[in-house]
């Protein structure tokens, strides 16, 4: 019973943390960063935090697991971090988080094709319902904000495929590795590419942008502060507990966190006046109904 309750507690905490991550990305972008700077700094902050406090965990990883740790780093963090940052230059936090709800469906598909999970007719039905909801959501965003390029929503879908592949990979090949070692190993490999990207793109540390937010006051906080919180809490610590959740439950259960994330992200979007339309709500409901059908016993 204790283990059963623990997995639900972790699921809820992750939903709050990751649901808040979208608005932190928005604050970084609004503060003058471009998507590549945001992604690189996020990885660098995470890597430095993990290296300083938990660096010794890297040396506990068996050599036979290194390739899986590296792949988990790319699929679970590197590619999605940059894909989400790029997507949020054109779509809102609420839409980005809702489209991420495809992760459980994609986890099931990839698990069925490559990891031996079973596939049922109702799960296929749920998948198509979810796709319809996705199209409604993209249409709603495009019609409400014609100046935005809502094809960027596809970047979130690609990121959800990366997450899905990573969840199945960790469950099958890294279940005997501690979540802390997996996370430290991930970002040990990602630090150098992130630094190289940042050196190529460049960034002015002295620039502090005054950004008016939805609470009607001027924000003088340097965007790096938001990205540091995003990296340390929303990436480093959250990944440790997410890997723990995968190991103590199932790939599908762990991916269920993406059902709850849109609720938190939408609340933040409303607070900061990103705008949520009735059609967007309809698209969200359709997607969530699709994932409910997919996971219904």
């Amino acid at each position: 019973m204790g283990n059963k309750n623990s997995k639900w507690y972790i699921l809820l905490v992750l939903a709050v943390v990751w649901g808040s991550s979208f608005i932190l990305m928005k604050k970084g972008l609004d503060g003058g960063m471009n998507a590549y700077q945001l992604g690189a700094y996020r990885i660098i902050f995470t890597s430095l935090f993990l290296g300083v406090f938990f660096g010794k965990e890297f040396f506990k990883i068996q050599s036979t697991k290194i390739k899986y740790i590296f792949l988990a780093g790319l699929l679970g963090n590197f590619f999605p971090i940059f894909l989400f940052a790029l997507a949020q230059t054109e779509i809102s936090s609420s839409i980005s988080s809702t489209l991420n709800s495809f992760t459980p469906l994609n986890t099931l598909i990839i698990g069925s094709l490559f990891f031996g999970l079973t596939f049922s007719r109702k799960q296929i039905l749920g998948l198509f319902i979810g796709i319809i909801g996705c199209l409604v959501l993209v249409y709603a965003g495009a019609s409400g904000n014609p100046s935005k390029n809502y094809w960027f929503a596809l970047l979130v879908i690609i990121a959800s495929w990366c997450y899905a592949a990573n969840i199945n990979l960790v469950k099958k090949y890294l279940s005997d590795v501690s979540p802390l070692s997996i996370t430290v190993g991930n970002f040990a490999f990602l630090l150098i590419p992130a630094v190289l990207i940042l050196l190529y793109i460049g960034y002015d540390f002295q620039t502090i942008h005054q950004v008016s937010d939805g609470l009607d006051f001027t924000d003088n906080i340097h965007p790096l502060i938001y990205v540091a919180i995003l990296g340390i809490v929303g990436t480093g610590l959250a990944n440790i507990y997410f890997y723990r959740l995968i190991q103590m439950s199932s790939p599908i259960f762990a991916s269920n966190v993406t059902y709850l994330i849109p609720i938190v992200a939408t609340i933040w979007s409303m607070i900061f006046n990103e705008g949520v339309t009735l059609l967007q709500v309809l698209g969200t409901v359709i997607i969530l109904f699709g994932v409910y059908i997919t996971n219904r016993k």
Side-chain angles (χ1 to χ4, degrees):
M1 180 65 70
N3 184 69
K4 181 179 180 180
N5 290 334
S6 295
K7 69 181 184 180
W8 281 103
Y9 294 146
I10 294 174
L11 189 77
L12 292 174
V13 171
L14 286 174
V16 172
V17 171
W18 278 337
S20 303
S21 293
F22 291 91
I23 206 66
L24 290 174
M25 283 189 274
K26 180 180 185 297
K27 300 293 278 186
L29 293 169
D30 287 351
M33 292 184 182
N34 63 42
Y36 299 102
Q37 290 166 340
L38 175 62
Y41 271 122
R42 181 177 179 180
I43 292 172
I44 290 170
F45 278 120
T46 307
S47 301
L48 293 178
F49 166 71
L50 293 172
V52 169
F53 292 99
F54 308 108
K56 63 182 181 180
E57 291 292 323
F58 179 80
F59 301 100
K60 297 180 181 180
I61 302 172
Q62 298 176 7
S63 59
T64 56
K65 301 291 184 178
I66 290 295
K67 62 182 178 181
Y68 299 118
I69 295 287
F70 176 70
L71 284 174
L74 291 177
L75 293 171
N77 292 287
F78 189 80
F79 294 137
I81 281 174
F82 286 101
L83 288 168
F84 273 107
L86 284 167
Q88 280 204 228
T89 61
E90 292 290 340
I91 64 177
S92 69
S93 301
S94 58
I95 290 180
S96 184
S97 63
T98 301
L99 292 175
N100 193 37
S101 297
F102 271 99
T103 298
L105 300 176
N106 295 336
T107 299
L108 180 64
I109 294 171
I110 291 176
S112 300
L113 294 176
F114 302 105
F115 294 90
L117 294 181
T118 57
F119 218 134
S120 67
R121 290 183 178 179
K122 74 173 186 300
Q123 289 165 339
I124 297 175
L125 174 63
L127 172 61
F128 281 105
I129 292 174
I131 291 173
I132 292 172
C134 174
L135 294 175
V136 171
L137 202 61
V138 173
Y139 173 78
S143 59
N145 297 276
S147 62
K148 297 289 188 178
N149 185 354
Y150 272 80
W151 285 106
F152 275 62
L154 294 175
L155 298 178
V156 179
I157 301 298
I158 296 171
S160 75
W161 280 101
C162 291
Y163 282 145
N166 181 55
I167 290 170
N168 282 292
L169 182 149
V170 170
K171 183 65 176 181
K172 183 168 183 176
Y173 297 110
L174 297 174
S175 288
D176 56 342
V177 181
S178 78
L180 184 54
S181 293
I182 297 173
T183 307
V184 171
N186 286 170
F187 286 92
F189 288 118
L190 300 184
L191 178 59
I192 293 178
V195 170
L196 292 176
I197 290 173
L198 192 60
L199 289 175
Y200 180 77
I201 297 297
Y203 186 73
D204 180 6
F205 286 97
Q206 302 304 316
T207 302
I208 300 178
H209 296 261
Q210 294 189 346
V211 181
S212 177
D213 60 23
L215 299 180
D216 296 324
F217 63 82
T218 299
D219 186 354
N220 289 321
I221 298 175
H222 197 288
L224 281 176
I225 301 298
Y226 293 113
V227 181
I229 297 171
L230 179 62
I232 294 171
V233 180
T235 309
L237 295 176
N239 268 271
I240 293 170
Y241 283 98
F242 185 59
Y243 287 136
R244 172 61 179 152
L245 182 63
I246 294 172
Q247 292 177 346
M248 70 191 300
S249 60
S250 67
I252 296 300
F253 181 87
S255 65
N256 282 345
V257 67
T258 57
Y259 301 163
L260 305 177
I261 288 174
I263 299 173
V264 178
T266 300
I267 292 172
W268 280 115
S269 290
M270 295 172 67
I271 291 174
F272 287 97
N273 290 333
E274 280 196 306
V276 178
T277 67
L278 184 60
L279 198 56
Q280 289 172 347
V281 173
L282 175 61
T284 300
V285 171
I286 293 173
I287 290 175
L288 294 179
F289 179 66
V291 295
Y292 165 74
I293 294 295
T294 301
N295 288 270
R296 187 165 57 91
K297 299 295 184 181

